Amino acid sequence: MHTRGGAPLAGARGDDRGFGMMEAIVSMALFTVLVTVSLGLILRVTHVTGSNSRRVVAANLANRQIESIKGQKAIDIPDGGSTYTKTVGQITYTIRQTANYLPADATSSVCESSGSQLAYKLVSVSVTWPEMGNVRPVRADTLKAVGVGSTGGLDAAKGAIALAVVGGAGADIADVPVTLSPGGVTVTTGDDGCAVFVGLAPGAYTATADRAGYVGVGNAQVTAVNGLGVSAGGITRGTLVYDVARTVGLTPAGPAGYTLPAGIGPHLRNSYVENLTLPACS
């Protein structure tokens, strides 16, 4: 910049140099912001793409399992719950299948309904994988008619037992192996906590639950329900209370030098067992 007389203004060149430095600083700041935002978008798109890819694989695994089930007779499909894994592209998928009988007049578990005849078997397949986050499992279902007769259906001269395995608060307990005797057949409860045994000759049966870490009302891991009477063409229902084993720790505390008087013991109360008087502690 010059004056009218042609002489340059003092400090003009220095001002231009300072303005160029400010432009460089602003440009670098804008570039940093742009790179940060772009990197975030790239990571987000990569995550979404990977999640969608895994969902597609999971859907294919679920549909493949359902198609396999459709080719089987209803009574040949394993009852209760079963779980296995499948690795695809270095990702391990967990496939859980549950098969539950349904009576003709209900859509709920046969253990909870009152129908006297088994008409369908509902088979559900869910697929999960590591680091799913908030993504829901992929699920597929199919309903198979059971039927009666020699063509793959139930024997009308025999009956069934539907045993509900519930926790202390009444919640359904899944993945509990239940063994029926006589016969020795074992069925693992599905997500509805129901174990169904079919094709049973009329008579009396005992159902026994045995799973590590669980106990019945008698505080024993092996817990049974006796006297389950089966009649031809009918469904006998029973309930077995079975829940995670728990312990109670009690530590008396008091002022220094205090001693619990002899013969006075603490009392333990809860809503599932009778009141217990614990031994006195010194």
Side-chain angles (χ1 to χ4, degrees):
M1 181 179 296
H2 299 272
T3 62
R4 291 180 181 179
L9 292 175
R13 186 173 182 179
D15 290 343
D16 289 344
R17 186 183 304 120
F19 183 70
M21 184 176 295
M22 288 299 298
E23 283 183 324
I25 294 174
V26 172
S27 298
M28 291 178 63
L30 291 176
F31 178 75
T32 302
V33 172
L34 180 61
V35 169
T36 302
V37 173
S38 299
L39 182 59
L41 290 174
I42 291 173
L43 293 175
R44 178 62 178 170
V45 170
T46 301
H47 175 75
V48 172
T49 302
S51 178
N52 290 338
S53 176
R54 288 187 284 273
R55 281 187 60 84
V56 169
V57 174
N60 289 336
L61 292 173
N63 291 332
R64 186 183 306 171
Q65 183 65 15
I66 289 295
E67 290 302 318
S68 173
I69 291 168
K70 289 180 178 179
Q72 303 178 49
K73 298 176 182 178
I75 61 174
D76 293 335
I77 300 172
D79 301 329
S82 57
T83 303
Y84 64 95
T85 59
K86 178 72 173 180
T87 301
V88 179
Q90 298 183 344
I91 302 295
T92 300
Y93 296 84
T94 300
I95 303 170
R96 177 170 175 78
Q97 174 181 308
T98 58
N100 306 315
Y101 280 100
L102 297 175
D105 59 348
T107 56
S108 61
S109 165
V110 65
C111 285
E112 300 174 355
S113 63
S114 59
S116 59
Q117 292 183 339
L118 300 176
Y120 306 99
K121 180 173 282 189
L122 175 63
V123 183
S124 300
V125 176
S126 64
V127 182
T128 58
W129 57 93
E131 299 179 2
M132 293 178 60
N134 295 326
V135 179
R136 300 181 64 180
V138 173
R139 175 170 172 168
D141 305 271
T142 187
L143 193 65
K144 298 279 293 185
V146 176
V148 177
S150 60
T151 59
L154 298 175
D155 188 342
K158 297 183 177 181
I161 290 177
L163 184 72
V165 179
V166 300
D172 300 327
I173 305 297
D175 297 324
V176 175
V178 180
T179 302
L180 197 67
S181 60
V185 178
T186 298
V187 173
T188 300
T189 58
D191 295 337
D192 60 354
C194 189
V196 180
F197 301 86
V198 299
L200 303 176
Y205 292 82
T206 296
T208 303
D210 185 1
R211 179 181 174 183
Y214 283 72
V215 295
V217 293
N219 202 36
Q221 178 177 313
V222 180
T223 303
V225 175
N226 302 308
L228 297 170
V230 173
S231 59
I235 303 174
T236 300
R237 293 176 171 84
T239 301
L240 188 150
V241 179
Y242 205 57
D243 212 331
V244 177
R246 296 174 174 87
T247 59
V248 177
L250 178 63
T251 304
Y258 174 80
T259 302
L260 188 68
I264 298 180
H267 293 267
L268 175 66
R269 297 181 175 90
N270 72 35
S271 57
Y272 303 122
V273 300
E274 296 180 358
N275 292 347
L276 302 175
T277 300
L278 304 180
C281 303
S282 59

